[in-house]
Amino acid sequence: MKPQEYIRKRFFPHLWCAGCGHGTVLNALLRSVDELEISKEDIVMVSGIGCSARMAGYADFHTMHTLHGRALAFATGVKMSRPELQLLVPMGDGDALAIGGNHFLHAARRNIDMTAIILNNRIYGMTGGQFSPLSGAGISATTAPWTSIDPAFDAMKLAQAAGASFAARTTTFHVHELQKYFTRAIQHKGFSVVEVFSQCPTYFGRKNKAGEAPEMLQTFKDSTAKLGSKQLEENPQLIPRGIFVEQEKREYGEAYAQLCEQAREQRSPKRRYGKEAPRC
Amino acid sequence: MGSQKWQILIESGWCKSCGICVAFCPVKAIVLNVEGKAMAAKEGRCTGCTLCERLCPDLAIQIQSLEATA
Ligand SMILES: Cc1ncc(C[n+]2csc(CCOP(=O)(O)OP(=O)(O)O)c2C)c(N)n1
Ligand code: SF4
Ligand code: SF4
Ligand code: SF4
């Protein structure tokens, strides 16, 4: 099926600006869901607040549009009560790593099974172009008229250090890679992070003279290179794309289910359950 | 056009004239029309690579095989 079969057509044309990369991220994500043949009923998309968070209005899954920075906390609640569901959590760079930074670290530390998507446009789009922890030094923003002096987080290093068992980065120019990484991330059991460089022509583009959407995509192409490539080795200033970590590790929900099982056995040793013990 | 293999379907009402499909179609099959909307200009050249429909942030493009529907 085409991605158009997985959207709420009544809300189209969507509200994102012309050329906004967030629509391309949605496009690839829907292709990945289709490729994996997951039923719409088995997916819960939980978002916070921001332009990126609007994705939850457009995707025709179970969806929750919650609080700025808190999407992962709500998603944790859903996953703990219904572990069989697939959780997709699209977040802006501010949503994920400024106000939501703490939730991000702890969801990664627990290695809870969900797919966290960071739509990194290096700016707060929804509120008019303030800089974010992923903007980096030298970037112009409404809150940095003389350019920002704050260095940026490396979302991939942060995710790995905090305990995420899958972390990948690509851009909205690399659309095949994007779909592939979403597919790998969704299949992965544990906390998966996919960081996508996504263009905000309206604020980041204008403030930083980065051009319109096609020029910004060209920049994603020219300024990045695949992990392990000769190109990256020869030019280490390029930003690496690729899968940074993919490892098997104890998943939080499974650990919790085991603990519940143990507790039940200890409390009532004579009571027998069938193969399927009830959930805590 | 007997040799045409692909049809480029564009939902004009969803297109926001960003120019991404025009810029990146490898065979320059799409142009912006006088209203600024994407339009299939050289459908016969289309190789069905799907790049435009994947890149379009507005989900406004669908590439359809004419062979499958024939
Ligand atoms: C608790 C709270 N603080 C601040 C805001 C205002 N606010 C809304 S969206 C946003 C940031 C949006 O930037 P980002 O998360 O990077 O997403 P984008 O819009 O760029 O996709 C802020 C600060 C809010 N809605 N709630
Ligand atoms: S302000 Fe930026 S991030 Fe928000 S919809 Fe417009 S282009 Fe996209
Ligand atoms: S990429 Fe989509 S929105 Fe942009 S010009 Fe082409 S059809 Fe229109
Ligand atoms: S499918 Fe490929 S060749 Fe055909 S119009 Fe789209 S980008 Fe061009």
Side-chain angles (χ1 to χ4, degrees), chain A residues 78-258:
Chain A
V78 175
K79 187 69 186 175
M80 292 308 284
S81 59
R82 296 287 301 273
E84 72 280 11
L85 298 176
Q86 255 327 316
L87 271 290
L88 304 176
V89 189
M91 299 173 286
D93 40 303
D95 204 24
L97 293 177
I99 191 169
N102 219 12
H103 291 293
F104 181 85
L105 293 179
H106 295 290
R109 177 172 62 87
R110 293 179 180 131
N111 193 37
I112 184 160
D113 184 29
M114 55 182 65
T115 302
I117 303 159
I118 305 175
L119 293 97
N120 180 9
N121 54 19
R122 304 176 69 190
I123 204 133
Y124 288 4
M126 177 163 270
T127 45
Q130 297 80 6
F131 70 87
S132 91
L134 291 178
S135 299
I139 291 303
S140 276
T142 46
T143 44
W146 303 101
T147 75
S148 166
I149 55 166
D150 291 27
F153 273 138
D154 180 327
M156 292 292 94
K157 286 187 180 154
L158 199 65
Q160 284 174 80
S165 51
F166 181 98
R169 173 196 285 140
T170 185
T171 85
T172 47
F173 174 79
H174 302 89
V175 281
H176 288 94
E177 215 170 81
L178 186 55
Q179 181 182 341
K180 192 169 98 189
Y181 293 171
F182 280 145
T183 301
R184 292 271 282 272
I186 294 170
Q187 281 175 321
H188 181 79
K189 184 98 184 145
F191 192 69
S192 311
V193 181
V194 182
E195 180 190 15
V196 191
F197 291 178
S198 175
Q199 71 278 11
C200 168
T202 303
Y203 291 109
F204 188 91
R206 279 188 204 154
K207 293 239 165 266
N208 291 284
K209 300 192 171 48
E212 295 293 334
E215 288 81 34
M216 293 180 83
L217 288 180
Q218 188 63 42
T219 305
F220 288 161
K221 178 175 189 251
D222 297 340
S223 62
T224 65
K226 273 301 272 289
L227 270 177
S229 68
K230 210 168 165 64
Q231 201 191 357
L232 188 63
E233 196 184 311
E234 283 167 2
N235 195 349
Q237 282 107 290
L238 294 177
I239 303 163
R241 306 190 316 274
I243 296 178
F244 290 73
V245 62
E246 187 172 29
Q247 59 177 213
E248 269 186 47
K249 202 166 146 184
R250 189 183 76 159
E251 193 273 323
Y252 192 67
E254 282 178 354
Y256 182 65
Q258 264 173 23

Side-chain angles (χ1 to χ4, degrees), chain B residues 7-49:
Chain B
Q7 207 173 6
I8 306 166
L9 304 173
I10 296 167
E11 182 77 55
S12 288
W14 292 7
C15 168
K16 298 204 185 101
S17 314
C18 70
I20 290 177
C21 55
V22 177
F24 294 105
C25 169
V27 297
K28 301 273 165 255
I30 306 176
V31 297
L32 295 186
N33 67 17
V34 284
E35 277 137 33
K37 301 284 186 176
M39 185 181 85
K42 300 266 162 56
E43 247 177 342
R45 290 190 194 170
C46 174
T47 61
C49 73

